[in-house]
């Protein structure tokens, strides 16, 4: 402003000086004329510049004023758009309004930072200081917001007249009139109409908005007004508002003929006839064989496309006319209006192209509407750069809303209509990446140190990996220099995809339409090496199309999707698995849902077993963890969309991923770590992937045996066997519990073949020959597939010992069954109680355990005993047998803690050991040491 | 020459006109590039340590071009330099969403002084994406700092341990030798006051699990005293009788922390690996291979919880920690008390496994999560209330729906002591014990 003022002053002074010099004839006329022209140019340039600057500054103050009015009503969106329109002025008033905006939006940290900036900006006046204090404290007062906005508005350097006008403007625009305020009736009819349109757009009163816009064009058919009418038509069309030819009649006089209605009727008749043909064709198709159906399906698809085209024309008849009506306007602003019209007609691609194409044009270079040019260039840049940084931010949203409303910046509501909001979200969705461009399908470490990793991703990334260009491969912080890459899909391999679509009640309306559109676009780009199937599910699932390469058939089925019922994801996946079970190509399932349901993961496992990769897509109130685990289990990806409007981009992203897999194989050289990871980075696209894996026990562990016996041996006395032999019984029954026992076909105890008396999965009863000698025997089981499993020390046969109490070091053992075998092998069995012999007075017994199993003490120090002729043991045993101060016992079984043990705690599992064990004792301490379990 | 002089009066106005038009055009062009220009200016201000100026310019640049990565990084750097690190997270979010390493590095720098756990989470994201040695070095340094957080007080079922300047003191019952001393072993008598636990090495941290006491010495070796029925000490045997004295369990010098219930022992080593011994007939320490790197473990009398460096929180509800259930992700720290788990997410939400205590009206809260109005660095939750540490180390006690900021020595960390009180480790080395139903803590000894 100062520069322009100086320029104008210099011009005026020069003008006066030259006149003076000319009068005094001290300057040649030629030079005089030349200098006068120069002075005139300078003063004009300065004057015009200064006036424009003044107007611009006043305009920007007005925007701030309006923003404050909206903020007073807690309406932050229009306020933000008004503040975005302030492009030149960066001073105190703008920062104060921005601070208040952030406060109203509860962005307290940003607000605080802006307050800090504001403190440095204030000029030290009392007014500004008071405003600053109010900004810091307004929340504490009931009318705080009203007070602070009034204060900030009062500080704006605007005339009273301008303020009144802005107040009226705000009242009209927002429909929020102050108490007692009268309806505005400006003498400027055009301005009145603009206000009316703005207000109607804000209230989504489409009829009123359109009527006012038509009236405006009739009053003054300028290019700007025609563009405004086209914009209003776009919004009305997008929101399915009613438009009739009568609205376009001059002065409200009814027209003789509603040409649009006639045209609409004609188009609808055409549409109906096409639909009738389609119905007939479909009826015909049901009677034909599959090959003939394929042919007719293509015809059906053509008819369907034609019908859709006609319907689109009929529904968008006014939008198309609006497009034609502004064909003669070639400004940048007209391009924005065209983009809105295309978007209203759901021609999204054209809408975006219209918006991005003028960014680098000569028009943009010469345009004086710099904010518009900047915004267009920004949109163009984000589409070209493929970078999503900063697009999903409030700033970018506001920028696009400003762009869409930039044709008529004074009509703030044009940037806030449903069309503008949805168009903005669509642009943002376009920039987002759905799913990762590189991911691990599976990692196989079973041949460790040989590692095989199957990777999936975008074709460009996969190509980079194949070419090994700028690829970094690490295994647990070590660079792998040598690795092989094998491309799984050679381009000729068939890909079989099954779309599993949620058609539950919640998908009604826009979601199902968006899903249909997304699927159709996917099918339009379906490559030749792909076949697809369609399954729908709600409370149950149904196959709509089995795997086929006929796009027409698939699209027909997609068009017929309709909503209703609950959500049963399990049913959907099961049906999809069934459909893909006979597929010839690489199997992929794409399951989309917007609801929650339980899932039977066995169904997912069944899909995985069939080599099906499942990609899950979720939006709305889905269970993210569940969908993530489904995709994790099958080597797919889970993609979360914010809303159904993103489905097009989600499916489109998946299309670039599916079918591109590569297998990387390498050998690990440094094999120390148990927990390892695979890492691969495509340096060109900055895409990386990492998967942890484990070596050692998990990978090297042999499969758990299918046949197992519980660690509970059986103790059998010789005396009982002798009695059985006397009764002529040739065998005695022994029962074992375990798992996998239904597969046992033969059993041996030691070398003695036993008859299987009865069996089930967890139970096996054997008939053991009664003539079996004394000893401790291994039980050997054979299964029908020839596998042999051995379980040592599962049967002990010996003379019964009539002593229930034993001492081993400081340990006391009590039992109800004891056997004595040859070489003084003492076998204690069944339930053995273990307790402690208190060391000294005052101490307590801290130990109380029970072993359900067997303990053997070889060469025990026992009283002399002999075997009588009748085969029984001649014994005189003490109440307690002393097993010595030190020693070792071997055994097996289930060792548990009793409640009286001092280590017992509620909620704690009392099992100490289940399996083989060794008991080491002396007078100092007693230890239980786990032994090796009986492996097959 | 004459010709030129004659034409000059004609050329002069044209020249002036041309200069004005060119000036106008140049000005217009310059304004087109104002986003880049403002980024440059912001960078200059940043180099001159004029952070307010830099913030203003970068904000303006982002307002003109929200997709500018340079402006975003510059703005975050300016915020961090001006002491507003909290702002940097939001500003860098679009960059961290695409795993930009520079954004992560900047965040780590900003977080490592005020919130170690948050910095560790960020550093792990960085290494996940870059796998570079220098980033690992940064991550490992942060992990070692997190694992070095003090743990000077512990209580088991019937014993308490306290560590003061390397010396271990114990109190309570010594029935199974859990006090580490010979006095009153295998008797029912109770030692009410803390007395020397006769631990001969220099202690660094103390823990209790059931009736077993553990000490990590300053060399990183693990010692134990007390019950070993399940073989949880990892010595390849289960002891049947009470033993006095401390048994050295490891000599590798790499033990960072310990947690466990009766009959179980989880050992967290300094390399982030987790080891287990105890119930399930596991009588030697075995590496738990269910997780990647672990940065924190905790236990109450029924459950054990594990937090991995990538923010996954797992809980095992059984005595044998083999069936881990993922409870939450994006977790920076947590606590486990009798009333279940409570954790802080990287977005500063406090979330609860079970019932959430009454929260202040000024905090945004939903069914099981709440967003405090300050950055929470550590948490200790108890059925009586919550104790929180903010980024400056100040303590905040939440009780009966009210939040109280406490004037006390800054705290290093807080943790739930068994199922009962909260332990506050202060920067001056003192340890306070807090029953959250009371307004003031009490010194331990």
């Amino acid at each position: 402003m100062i520069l322009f003022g100086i320029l104008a002053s210099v011009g005026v002074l020069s003008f006066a000086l030259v006149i003076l010099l000319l009068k005094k004839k001290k300057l040649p006329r030629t030079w005089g004329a030349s200098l006068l022209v120069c002075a005139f140019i300078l003063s004009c340039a300065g004057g015009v510049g200064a006036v424009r600057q003044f107007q611009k500054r006043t305009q920007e103050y007005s925007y701030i004023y309006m923003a404050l009015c909206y903020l007073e009503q807690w309406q932050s969106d229009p306020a933000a758009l008004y503040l975005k329109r302030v492009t030149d002025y960066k001073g105190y008033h703008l920062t104060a309004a921005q601070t208040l905006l952030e406060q109203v939006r509860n962005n307290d940290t940003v607000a605080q930072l802006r307050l800090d900036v504001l403190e440095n900006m204030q000029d030290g006046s009392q007014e500004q200081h008071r405003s600053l204090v109010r900004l810091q404290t307004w929340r504490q007062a009931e009318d705080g917001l009203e007070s602070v906005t009034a204060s900030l508005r009062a500080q704006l350097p605007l005339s009273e007249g301008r303020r009144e006008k802005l107040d009226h403007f705000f009242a009209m625009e927002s429909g929020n009139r102050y108490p007692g305020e009268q309806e505005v009736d400006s003498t400027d009819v055009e301005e009145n109409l603009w206000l009316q349109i703005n207000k109607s757009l804000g209230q989504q009163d489409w009829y009123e908005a359109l009527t006012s816009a038509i009236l405006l064009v009739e009053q003054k058919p300028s290019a700007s007004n025609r563009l405004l009418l086209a914009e209003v038509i776009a919004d009305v069309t997008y929101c399915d508002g009613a438009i009739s030819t009568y609205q376009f009649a001059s002065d409200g006089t009814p027209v003789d003929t509603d040409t649009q209605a006639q045209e609409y009727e004609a188009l609808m008749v055409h549409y109906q006839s096409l639909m009738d043909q389609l119905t007939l064709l479909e009826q015909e198709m049901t009677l034909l064989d599959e090959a003939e159906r394929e042919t007719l399906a293509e015809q059906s698809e053509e008819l369907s496309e034609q019908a859709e085209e006609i319907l689109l024309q009929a529904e968008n008849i006014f939008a198309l006319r609006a497009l034609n009506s502004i064909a003669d306007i070639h400004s940048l602003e007209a391009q924005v209006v065209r983009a809105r019209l295309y978007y209203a007609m759901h021609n999204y691609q054209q809408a975006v192209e219209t918006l991005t194409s003028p960014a680098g044009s000569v028009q943009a270079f010469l345009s004086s509407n710099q904010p518009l040019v900047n915004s267009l260039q920004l949109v163009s840049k984000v589409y070209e750069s493929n970078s999503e940084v900063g697009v999903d931010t409030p700033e970018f949203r506001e920028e696009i809303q400003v762009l869409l409303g930039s044709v008529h910046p004074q009509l703030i509501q044009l940037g806030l209509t449903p069309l503008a909001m949805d168009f903005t979200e669509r642009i943002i969705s376009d920039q987002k990446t759905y799913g990762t461009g590189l991911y691990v399908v599976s990692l196989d470490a079973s041949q460790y140190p040989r590692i095989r990793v199957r990777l999936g991703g975008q074709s460009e990334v996969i190509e980079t990996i194949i070419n090994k260009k700028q690829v970094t491969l690490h295994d647990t912080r070590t660079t792998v220099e040598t690795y092989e890459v094998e491309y799984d899909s050679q381009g000729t391999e068939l890909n079989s995809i099954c779309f599993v679509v949620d058609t539950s009640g919640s998908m009604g309306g826009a979601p199902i339409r968006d899903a249909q559109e997304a699927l159709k676009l996917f099918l339009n780009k379906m490559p030749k090496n792909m076949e697809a199937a369609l399954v729908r599910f709600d409370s149950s699932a149904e196959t709509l199309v089995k795997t086929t390469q006929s796009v027409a058939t698939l699209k027909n089925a997609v068009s017929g999707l309709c909503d209703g019922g609950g959500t049963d994801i399990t049913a959907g996946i099961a049906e999809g698995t069934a459909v893909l079970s006979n597929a010839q190509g690489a199997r992929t399932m794409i399951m989309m849902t917007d609801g929650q349901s339980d899932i039977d993961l066995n169904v997912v496992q069944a899909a995985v077993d069939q080599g099906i990769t499942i990609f899950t897509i979720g939006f709305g109130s889905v269970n993210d963890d569940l969908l993530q685990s489904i995709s994790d289990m099958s080597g797919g990806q889970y993609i979360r969309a914010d809303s159904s409007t993103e489905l097009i981009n989600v499916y489109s992203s998946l299309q670039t991923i599916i079918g591109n897999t590569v297998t990387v194989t390498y050998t690990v050289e440094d094999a120390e770590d148990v927990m390892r990871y695979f890492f691969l980075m495509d340096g060109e696209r900055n895409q990386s992937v990492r998967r942890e894996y484990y070596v050692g026990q998990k990978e090297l562990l042999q499969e758990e045996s299918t046949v197992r016996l519980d660690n509970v041996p059986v103790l059998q006395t010789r005396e009982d066997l002798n009695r059985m032999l006397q009764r002529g019984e040739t065998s005695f029954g022994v029962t074992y519990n375990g798992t996998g026992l239904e597969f046992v076909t033969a059993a041996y105890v030691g070398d003695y073949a036993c008859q299987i008396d009865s069996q089930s999965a967890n139970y096996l009863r054997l008939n053991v020959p009664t003539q079996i000698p004394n000893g401790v025997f291994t039980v050997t089981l054979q299964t029908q597939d020839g596998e042999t499993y051995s379980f040592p020390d599962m049967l002990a046969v010996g003379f019964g010992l009539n002593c229930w109490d034993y001492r081993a070091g400081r340990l006391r053992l009590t039992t109800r069954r004891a056997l004595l075998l040859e070489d003084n092998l003492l076998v204690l069995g069944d339930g053995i109680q273990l307790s402690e012999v208190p060391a000294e007075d005052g101490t307590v017994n801290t130990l109380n355990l029970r072993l359900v199993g067997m303990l053997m003490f070889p060469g025990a120090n026992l009283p002399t005993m002999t075997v009588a002729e009748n085969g029984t043991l001649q014994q005189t045993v003490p109440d307690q047998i002393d097993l010595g101060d030190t020693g070792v016992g071997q055994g097996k079984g289930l060792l548990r803690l009793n409640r009286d043990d001092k280590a017992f705690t509620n909620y704690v599992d009392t099992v100490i050991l289940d399996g083989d064990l060794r008991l080491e004792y002396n007078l100092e301490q007693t230890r239980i040491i786990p032994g090796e379990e009986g492996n097959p | 020459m004459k010709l030129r002089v004659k034409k000059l009066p004609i050329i002069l106005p044209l020249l002036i006109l041309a200069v004005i038009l060119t000036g106008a055009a140049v000005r217009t062009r310059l304004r087109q590039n104002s986003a880049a220009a403002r980024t440059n200016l912001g960078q200059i201000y940043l180099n001159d340590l004029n952070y307010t100026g830099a913030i203003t310019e970068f904000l303006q640049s982002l307002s003109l071009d929200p997709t500018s990565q340079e402006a975003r990084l510059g703005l975050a750097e300016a915020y961090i330099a001006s002491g507003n690190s909290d702002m940097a997270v939001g500003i860098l979010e679009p960059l961290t969403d695409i795993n930009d390493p520079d954004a992560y590095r900047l965040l780590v720098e900003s977080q490592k002084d005020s919130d170690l756990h948050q910095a560790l989470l960020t550093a792990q994201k960085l290494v996940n994406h870059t796998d570079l040695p220098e980033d690992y070095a940064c991550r490992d340094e942060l992990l070692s700092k997190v694992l070095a957080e003090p743990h000077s007080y512990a209580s088991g079922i019937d014993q308490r341990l306290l560590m003061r300047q390397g010396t271990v003191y114990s109190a309570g019952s010594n029935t199974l030798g859990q006090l580490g001393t010979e006095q009153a072993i295998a008797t029912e008598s109770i030692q009410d006051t803390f007395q020397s636990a006769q631990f001969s090495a220099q202690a660094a941290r103390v823990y209790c699990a059931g009736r077993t006491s553990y000490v990590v010495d300053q060399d990183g070796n693990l010692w134990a005293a007390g019950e070993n029925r399940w073989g949880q000490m990892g010595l390849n045997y289960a002891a049947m009788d009470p033993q006095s004295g401390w048994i050295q369990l490891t000599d590798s010098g790499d033990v960072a922390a310990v947690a466990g219930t009766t009959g179980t022992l989880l050992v967290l080593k300094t390399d982030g690996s987790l080891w287990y011994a105890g119930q399930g007939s596991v009588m030697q320490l075995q590496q738990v291979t269910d997780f990647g790197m672990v940065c924190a473990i905790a236990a109450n009398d029924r459950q054990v919880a594990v937090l991995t460096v990538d923010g996954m929180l797992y809980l095992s509800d059984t005595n044998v920690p083999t069936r881990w259930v993922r409870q939450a992700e994006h977790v920076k720290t947590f606590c486990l008390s009798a009333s279940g788990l409570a954790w802080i997410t990287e977005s500063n939400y406090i979330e609860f496994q079970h019932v959430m205590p009454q929260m202040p009206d000024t905090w945004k809260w939903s069914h099981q999560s709440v967003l405090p109005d300050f950055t929470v660095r550590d948490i200790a939750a108890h059925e009586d209330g919550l104790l929180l540490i903010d980024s400056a180390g100040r303590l905040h006690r939440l009780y009966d729906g009210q939040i109280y900021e406490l004037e006390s020595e800054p705290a290093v960390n807080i943790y739930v002591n068994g199922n009962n009180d909260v332990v506050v480790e202060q920067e001056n080395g003192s340890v306070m014990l807090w029953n959250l139903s009371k307004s003031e803590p009490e010194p331990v000894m």
Side-chain angles (χ1 to χ4, degrees), chain A residues 745-756:
Chain A
T745 51
Y748 299 86
V749 172
D751 295 331
Y752 295 83
C754 303
Q755 188 191 350
I756 297 172

Side-chain angles (χ1 to χ4, degrees), chain B residues 54-186:
Chain B
I55 288 170
T56 310
E57 292 306 321
F58 286 131
L59 273 175
Q60 202 54 47
S61 174
L62 277 180
S63 170
L64 293 165
D65 180 3
T67 65
S68 168
Q69 296 195 23
E70 296 79 14
R72 205 163 277 282
L73 280 170
L75 180 60
E77 207 174 334
Y79 276 138
I80 292 163
S82 61
N84 291 292
S85 298
D86 290 353
M87 279 301 299
V89 180
I91 294 295
L92 290 173
E93 201 175 326
L95 287 168
T96 49
D97 282 350
I98 57 158
N99 296 316
D100 182 275
D102 289 333
Y104 281 133
R105 289 185 189 116
L106 205 54
L107 272 183
V108 171
E109 276 304 308
S110 72
Q111 293 164 345
K112 69 180 185 185
D113 291 329
S114 59
D115 194 342
L116 267 180
H117 295 269
Q118 184 82 57
L120 179 61
L121 260 181
T122 312
Q124 182 60 35
K125 286 179 188 164
L126 176 63
V127 297
N128 280 349
H129 183 65
T130 65
D131 210 52
L132 289 173
E134 57 268 30
D135 294 328
Y136 274 112
C138 169
R139 195 276 312 267
D140 292 346
E141 186 189 336
L142 289 166
L143 178 64
S144 65
K145 284 183 181 170
V146 166
L147 295 179
E149 284 181 347
H151 203 284
S152 312
Y153 181 83
S155 69
I157 290 177
D158 50 18
Q159 84 276 27
R160 290 169 287 148
L161 291 186
L162 174 67
M163 195 273 301
R164 276 277 172 87
Q165 295 170 337
T167 304
V168 180
Y169 302 88
S170 57
S173 167
N174 200 23
T175 313
L176 295 172
Q178 55 268 52
L179 299 188
T181 60
E182 287 184 2
Q183 289 90 358
I185 195 162

Side-chain angles (χ1 to χ4, degrees), chain A residues 624-774:
Chain A
D624 293 313
D625 279 348
L626 181 79
L627 296 178
Q628 183 71 59
S629 56
I630 292 171
S631 56
D632 285 350
M633 272 179 78
S634 63
Q637 284 192 49
Y638 168 47
I639 301 175
R640 182 75 159 97
D642 289 339
S643 68
S644 64
T645 53
E646 296 183 16
L647 286 178
I648 288 174
N649 286 321
V650 170
Y651 276 95
S652 180
S653 298
L654 276 180
Q655 201 152 24
T656 65
I657 292 170
I658 289 169
N660 300 315
T661 55
V662 74
T663 302
V664 176
T665 313
Y666 63 95
T667 303
V668 177
E669 290 176 5
D670 157 36
E672 285 179 8
D673 293 321
V674 174
M675 303 183 70
R676 306 186 65 86
Y677 68 84
F678 158 85
F679 175 85
L680 186 137
M681 177 176 241
D682 167 12
E684 198 178 331
R685 282 166 202 81
N686 203 24
Q687 297 253 23
S688 67
V689 69
R690 180 185 172 110
R691 172 68 67 89
E692 279 159 355
Y693 67 93
Y694 309 97
V695 292
Q697 289 177 329
K698 281 203 169 176
E699 267 66 38
L700 303 179
L701 194 70
Q702 290 179 354
E703 276 189 25
E704 211 171 76
S705 59
T706 51
V707 175
R708 289 186 69 84
L709 290 185
D710 292 349
N711 293 302
V712 184
V714 174
L715 270 66
Q716 181 66 49
T717 63
R718 172 53 53 198
E719 290 82 352
D720 285 347
L721 292 184
N722 288 342
R723 278 191 287 275
M724 286 180 196
L725 279 170
Q726 285 167 5
R727 289 198 297 267
E729 294 172 16
T730 55
S731 65
F732 63 98
V734 176
T735 303
Y736 294 107
N737 293 320
T739 52
L741 300 179
E742 76 271 36
F743 303 119
V744 175
T745 51
Y748 299 86
V749 172
D751 295 331
Y752 295 83
C754 303
Q755 188 191 350
I756 297 172
D757 180 71
S758 55
Q759 69 189 119
S760 69
N762 308 109
Y763 165 91
L764 181 69
R765 185 169 175 81
L766 302 177
N767 289 330
V768 182
T770 318
Q771 71 269 27
I772 191 166
N774 287 356

Side-chain angles (χ1 to χ4, degrees), chain A residues 4 7 30-31 34-35 37-38 41-42 45 53 56 84 87-88 90 94 98 106 109-110 113-114 116-117 120-121 364-367 370 373-374 377-378 381-382 387-391 393 395-396 399 474 477 625 674-675 677 679 681 686-690 692 694-695 697-698 810-811 834 836 842-844 846-849 895 897 901-914 919 922 924-930, chain B residues 5-6 8-10 12-14 16-17 20 27-29 31-34 38 52 55-56 59-60 62-69 72 79 82 84 86-87 94-95 97-101 124 127-133 136-137 139-140 157 175-176 185-188 211 227 229-231 236-243 261-263 273 278-283 286-293 301-302 310 319-320 326 329 364:
Chain A
F4 287 119
L7 205 63
T30 323
W31 275 104
S34 172
L35 290 173
V37 171
C38 290
I41 290 170
L42 282 175
Q53 280 279 322
K56 172 96 176 163
K84 284 287 282 185
T87 51
D88 280 0
K90 304 292 171 206
L94 176 65
Q98 285 173 330
N106 288 324
T109 324
V110 185
L113 283 160
R114 289 206 185 276
D116 294 345
V117 174
N120 296 327
M121 280 178 143
F365 188 78
L366 297 174
S367 172
Q370 208 50 52
V373 174
N374 283 343
Q377 286 175 342
L378 179 64
K381 187 182 126 188
V382 296
S387 167
E388 58 181 300
V389 173
V391 291
T393 56
E395 295 85 11
F396 188 80
E399 194 68 33
H474 292 171
R477 299 204 202 184
D625 279 348
V674 174
M675 303 183 70
Y677 68 84
F679 175 85
M681 177 176 241
N686 203 24
Q687 297 253 23
S688 67
V689 69
R690 180 185 172 110
E692 279 159 355
Y694 309 97
V695 292
Q697 289 177 329
K698 281 203 169 176
R810 285 180 58 199
L811 192 67
L834 290 80
E836 197 179 20
T843 59
V844 294
T846 63
L847 185 72
N848 199 322
L849 308 182
L895 183 64
L897 201 76
D901 192 285
K902 291 293 179 190
F904 179 82
T905 311
N906 282 328
Y907 317 119
V908 172
D909 185 355
T910 53
V911 175
I912 289 177
L913 202 148
D914 184 8
L919 178 75
N922 56 40
E924 296 297 318
Q925 54 183 308
T926 309
R927 292 174 174 178
I928 299 279
I929 298 160
Chain B
V5 171
K6 277 185 181 176
L8 204 57
I10 299 167
L12 186 65
L14 292 174
I16 288 176
L17 193 62
I20 288 172
R27 188 166 176 266
T28 308
R29 289 298 96 198
R31 282 167 71 187
Q32 268 189 358
N33 295 322
S34 56
R38 285 186 178 275
T52 309
I55 288 170
T56 310
L59 273 175
Q60 202 54 47
L62 277 180
S63 170
L64 293 165
D65 180 3
T67 65
S68 168
Q69 296 195 23
R72 205 163 277 282
Y79 276 138
S82 61
N84 291 292
D86 290 353
M87 279 301 299
L95 287 168
D97 282 350
I98 57 158
N99 296 316
D100 182 275
Q124 182 60 35
V127 297
N128 280 349
H129 183 65
T130 65
D131 210 52
L132 289 173
Y136 274 112
R139 195 276 312 267
D140 292 346
I157 290 177
T175 313
L176 295 172
I185 195 162
T187 66
E188 302 281 14
R211 292 182 178 84
E227 178 260 306
R229 285 281 192 276
W230 283 267
N236 198 28
Y237 65 82
M240 297 293 106
D241 32 27
Q243 298 292 311
T261 60
T262 297
S273 64
Q279 293 188 30
S281 309
V282 183
M283 297 195 187
Q286 287 184 358
Q287 188 167 359
V288 179
T289 53
D290 296 287
F291 323 102
M293 194 173 263
D301 60 355
R302 299 189 206 185
D310 51 4
N319 298 118
V320 185
R326 196 174 75 186
E329 49 190 3
K364 290 179 199 166

